[in-house]
Each structure stands twice: as C-alpha cells, then as structure tokens.
Amino acid sequence: MLEALSYEFVQNALIAGLLVSLASGIIGSLIVVNRMVFLAGGIAHTAYGGIGMAVFFGFPIFLGASLFAVVAALIIAFITFHHRNRMDTFIGLMWAVGMALGVVLIDLTPGYNVDLMSYLFGSILAVSHEDLYYMGTLLGIIIFIMLFWYRDILAVSYDSEYATLRGINVKFFYTLILILSALTVVVAIKVVGLILVIALLTIPVYIAEKLSNTLYMMMILSGVFSSLFTLCGLWFSYSFDIASGASIILISALSLFLFLLINKLRLV
Amino acid sequence: MSIIKIENLSFAYDRQKILEDINLSVEDKDFLAIIGPNGGGKSTLLKLILGINPVQKGSIETFGTKPQKNLSKIGYVPQNTNVNTDFPIKVIEVVMMGHIGTKRPLFGYAKEEIMCAMGALSQVGMEKFANNKIGDLSGGQRQRVMIARALCAHPQILILDEPTSSIDVDGQKQIYELLELLNKTITIIVVSHDISVILEFANKVVHINKRLTQHMITKKEKSSHFCEVELFNKLKGNSC
C-alpha cells in the first residue's frame, strides 16, 4: 500500500479526494438543510450536456461542465421563484435532456471516443495538476463565501420568510447556494461520477446533521466524514482493484448503516 | 395618534378576493386580537401590515409611512414554528436572526448583538437554553424563542400569528402572560383561535372573514363571564 503513495497519480487522487470531500461537506450541508437534493441531482445530470459540449468543441471539460451546470442552476432558481409547483417536472426534463445532449455530442465527436463510464462513475486516478488547482480554488471560494455571508445563508436556509422581513435578499442567496452546488457537483463528478454524486453530497451530511448543534459544525463534520469515506474507499479500491467511485459510496453507505444501527441500539 | 392605519383596503390572490374594504386603526399599546375562520384573510392582513404582500387597493400606513419602511419597528412571530426542527441551529443563533442588518461586523456576530439577543432571551425566560439545539425544545419553549427573535430589534409592535396553536395548555398560559407583560411597553397584535383566552388580555377584537368587524372590550365585559358564542353573535350582529 505504502509504495503506491510514491506514484504521482495516487498522490493527486488523494489530494483531489480531500479537496472534493471538504467542498461537498460544506455544500452538501446546505443542499440537505435547504431540501435541494433533487435539484442537485438535476444539475449533476444536466452537467453531462456540458461535458459533451466541451468534448465536441474541444475546450476543457471542467470549464464546459461548470458553465453548463451554472446555467442549469440559474434556470432552476428561476423556476423555483416563478413556477414552484411545476418544479419537479422541469427538473426531470432538464435532467434527461442534459444527459441526451451529452451522449449525442460525444457520439458526434470525430475520432475521439470518451469513456462515458468515467463520467458516470468517476475517474479519480486520472486527476491532473490543473484539476487540482481548479478544485483548490473552488474550495477557497466556498470557504470565503461561507465566512463572509454565514449569517445570511443561515437565516435564508432556516427561515426564508423571516429573512426577507429582516431585509436579506433571499433570492440572491438561494441562487448563490445553487450556483455553488453546481460548481461542487462538477468537481465531485471527477471523484465519484455524476450518478454517485448525490450519495457523496448526502450520506456524510446526514450523519453529520444528527451529531451537530450548528450549521457550521455540520459542515465541518460532513467534510471530515466525507474525507474519511473517500480515503477508505480509495484504499479499498486499490487493494481489491475495483472502481473507486463505487467503493467510496459503498463505504459511506456501510458507515451510515452502522451509524443508524448504533443509534438504534443506544436508544433501546 | 394611530400607529397602524388601514383604509378601504382590499386584496385578492389572482381573481379570488381575500380581503374587502378593510378599515382598522391600531393605537399605541393596544392589545388587538384578530379572530375569524380559516381562509378568512387573517394571515393575509398580517402580511400586508408587515409589507410582505404589496398593497393592491386602499392604503396601509404604519407609523405614518409605507409598511416596507418599518422593518425594524415591527416584530413578527410566524405561524408555524414547528417546521424544520431537524435543522442544526442553536437557540441563540435563531434569536440573532432578529437583528436588522446594520452595524454588523465583517464576519460573524458583534458582541453587542450577542448581548442583545441574550437580553431578549431573558425577557422571555429562555436564557438558560441559549446553547440548546432548537429542535430539542418543546413547542411552547420554541414559541418563546421566536418571540425573543422578534424582540431582538426592539420593535414597537409585536405581531403574532396563531402563537398557541400547537402548544399545550400550560404553555399557552405562559405565552399569554408574557404577552400581557410585554404589552406594558409595546403594542401587541395576535391572530388566534383561543377566543376565551384572548378576551382576558385583548382590549380590541376584530373578526375577519373577507370583511372586518370590530369590537371594543370594556372593563365590565372583561370581568364578567363572557362566552364565546355571545362574542360571535355580537360580532356577527355588527356586520349586518
């Protein structure tokens, strides 16, 4: 195991795993307390359209996917403000159309056949230096925004009507949370893939929520659990030569199961 | 001088009329009770006074100006405080949401804000629970925290929407006694179903079912036994 650490791609994978875990811990907490899990799922799948576009037009994948995901987030914000009762229909639509667009564009791309599976289930062992810079910058931005606007984001998440009464621009912060979710989903796709992204954004967060008294505690604990699961998953994946994304999710799910079991036993 | 003045106010969602031709004035240190059937427009009227809903027809003035200009002078306790009880948030953090966004530090909360929030909590007798998770409190305790949140900005009017709807009898009594105490310094407006309780504390009762009927409560009525049916009859009689 230890000799594996000397390989650069393993080092990159570990750093990427940690950066994405911390980002998804913070943003996952916001997604869960704002009941936005389905929205994040919609954004993740729509982002595949962006991956297709990036491959087709030949620009960086992260850039294409991020732009596409942010546009999806803005559309979702618009629908939330104006057609709330039809939201599930619209998100389902974006979800499917984004995926279809991605598949078609990748098919149309001449010569180069991207492995669809690597985007669906993650390809953490193929993380480049540029990817790491991108992830690090995103994490920095997220932490800064959280420090600066923590009380507003807390107020909007806990009681948006009251926040409006206190003169907080609820729509702005709601949209901001969606945009940050979109960007986080895109980097998480690299680690666990877009199908498993939702599990990474919810399982550690759910455990953390039960153990926290405050939102920032929940964010920190989510980040810590997420990192632990990711590192364990990677070790598992390396030892038994199985897919990394799926290992991370299964380790998370197993931990959640144990957590619930222990909780249950303690109550009896 | 009236601190709230409503004249010929009408309000409709889409084409459905909710309020019609409402006239009401609230004086300083009034204890106003708003009663009426569900869907009769009580909450809508509160939202108009708070400036959440825009005025469509007629006029509302609070402190002589538009409601939107008086965010900090009116404290509001919303109807359902039992939602989102899983949310990881401490009592003190909930109360600090009541601060209006002036004089805030770059990050986090200022010392004065924390002191002020603790003051509001001790006003409602909840200072011991400042660091508890909001979801661990009982319905009545949570309601008092919401009152503390509204008091945080030192309002001159406190508006409560069904403050006792999901609280046990002891908790209800405590809430009303607290409101009576607060009424010595500020104006209270309560939307409520508990007519018999309200009568003990309110000096003005209005019944809203699209239209508004007002009833002043005299000292004599307060002391003598007064049954709910009689009050309803009285209010209904006025409206015809």
Side-chain angles (χ1 to χ4, degrees), chain A residues 63-123:
Chain A
L63 185 70
S66 299
L67 283 176
F68 221 74
V70 167
V71 171
L74 292 175
I75 294 173
I76 287 176
F78 179 82
I79 295 168
T80 315
F81 300 143
H82 298 283
H83 305 282
R84 183 154 214 147
N85 47 344
R86 300 315 306 263
M87 205 152 81
D88 53 346
T89 313
F90 281 113
I91 290 169
L93 189 109
M94 282 172 49
W95 186 307
V97 171
M99 285 294 288
L101 192 68
V103 170
V104 168
L105 284 172
I106 287 174
D107 273 351
L108 288 177
T109 309
Y112 175 48
N113 219 340
V114 183
D115 182 13
L116 177 67
M117 291 295 275
S118 76
Y119 292 106
L120 294 185
F121 298 104
S123 51

Side-chain angles (χ1 to χ4, degrees), chain A residues 33 35 147-148 150-152 154-155 157-159 161-162 165-167 209-210 212-216 218, chain B residues 47 52 71 74 76 84 87-90 93 97-98 104 106-109 113 133 146 149-150 153:
Chain A
V33 297
R35 306 277 188 272
L147 285 173
F148 195 68
Y150 179 75
R151 55 192 288 175
D152 305 272
L154 179 69
S157 306
Y158 180 65
D159 189 342
E161 189 188 56
Y162 204 82
L165 275 175
R166 297 290 82 177
E209 186 187 60
K210 298 281 165 236
S212 311
N213 273 343
T214 58
L215 183 60
Y216 67 83
M218 178 176 171
Chain B
K47 285 183 178 163
I52 301 176
L71 287 179
I74 303 182
Y76 174 56
N84 238 346
F87 200 103
I89 186 167
K90 284 188 200 169
E93 289 180 299
M97 272 176 208
R104 52 187 286 178
L106 202 52
F107 300 110
Y109 302 94
E113 288 181 308
K133 194 171 166 175
M146 297 306 163
R149 176 175 73 170

Side-chain angles (χ1 to χ4, degrees), chain A residues 36-59:
Chain A
M36 283 181 182
V37 175
F38 183 62
L39 310 194
I43 293 173
H45 287 79
T46 312
Y48 193 65
I51 294 173
M53 262 169 95
V55 171
F56 186 74
F57 292 108
F59 51 85

Side-chain angles (χ1 to χ4, degrees), chain A:
Chain A
M1 180 66 204
L2 280 175
E3 83 275 359
L5 290 174
S6 59
Y7 295 117
E8 196 182 333
F9 73 93
V10 175
Q11 291 166 6
N12 284 357
L14 290 176
I15 298 169
L18 286 174
L19 290 174
V20 169
S21 294
L22 295 175
S24 72
I26 297 171
I27 296 303
S29 300
L30 286 179
I31 290 174
V32 166
V33 297
N34 279 290
R35 306 277 188 272
M36 283 181 182
V37 175
F38 183 62
L39 310 194
I43 293 173
H45 287 79
T46 312
Y48 193 65
I51 294 173
M53 262 169 95
V55 171
F56 186 74
F57 292 108
F59 51 85
I61 303 258
F62 263 160
L63 185 70
S66 299
L67 283 176
F68 221 74
V70 167
V71 171
L74 292 175
I75 294 173
I76 287 176
F78 179 82
I79 295 168
T80 315
F81 300 143
H82 298 283
H83 305 282
R84 183 154 214 147
N85 47 344
R86 300 315 306 263
M87 205 152 81
D88 53 346
T89 313
F90 281 113
I91 290 169
L93 189 109
M94 282 172 49
W95 186 307
V97 171
M99 285 294 288
L101 192 68
V103 170
V104 168
L105 284 172
I106 287 174
D107 273 351
L108 288 177
T109 309
Y112 175 48
N113 219 340
V114 183
D115 182 13
L116 177 67
M117 291 295 275
S118 76
Y119 292 106
L120 294 185
F121 298 104
S123 51
I124 194 172
L125 295 177
V127 172
S128 68
H129 270 294
E130 289 74 39
D131 294 344
L132 289 181
Y133 291 136
Y134 185 84
M135 292 168 178
T137 312
L138 178 66
L139 180 63
I141 292 172
I142 289 173
I143 290 174
F144 181 76
I145 287 178
M146 283 309 138
L147 285 173
F148 195 68
W149 274 319
Y150 179 75
R151 55 192 288 175
D152 305 272
I153 289 170
L154 179 69
V156 169
S157 306
Y158 180 65
D159 189 342
S160 58
E161 189 188 56
Y162 204 82
T164 311
L165 275 175
R166 297 290 82 177
I168 296 173
N169 189 339
V170 172
K171 286 184 179 177
F172 169 77
F173 285 105
Y174 191 82
T175 312
L176 182 69
I177 293 172
L178 276 172
I179 290 174
L180 292 178
S181 308
L183 295 172
T184 306
V185 159
V186 169
V187 294
I189 286 176
K190 192 83 193 179
V191 175
V192 290
L194 66 89
I195 293 194
L196 303 177
V197 143
I198 295 309
L200 190 66
L201 288 170
T202 50
I203 297 174
V205 176
Y206 180 82
I207 301 175
E209 186 187 60
K210 298 281 165 236
L211 299 172
S212 311
N213 273 343
T214 58
L215 183 60
Y216 67 83
M217 201 61 207
M218 178 176 171
M219 290 172 168
I220 294 169
L221 280 182
S222 302
V224 170
F225 289 139
S226 195
S227 305
L228 275 176
F229 300 155
T230 304
L231 294 182
C232 288
L234 280 176
W235 172 77
F236 212 71
S237 154
Y238 179 84
S239 313
F240 297 96
D241 194 22
I242 47 179
S244 57
S247 317
I248 293 170
I249 300 305
L250 285 180
I251 293 277
S252 308
L254 191 68
S255 310
L256 174 65
F257 176 72
L258 286 175
F259 173 78
L260 292 176
L261 195 72
I262 292 168
N263 253 1
K264 199 98 192 164
L265 290 177
R266 237 197 276 157
L267 286 177
V268 172

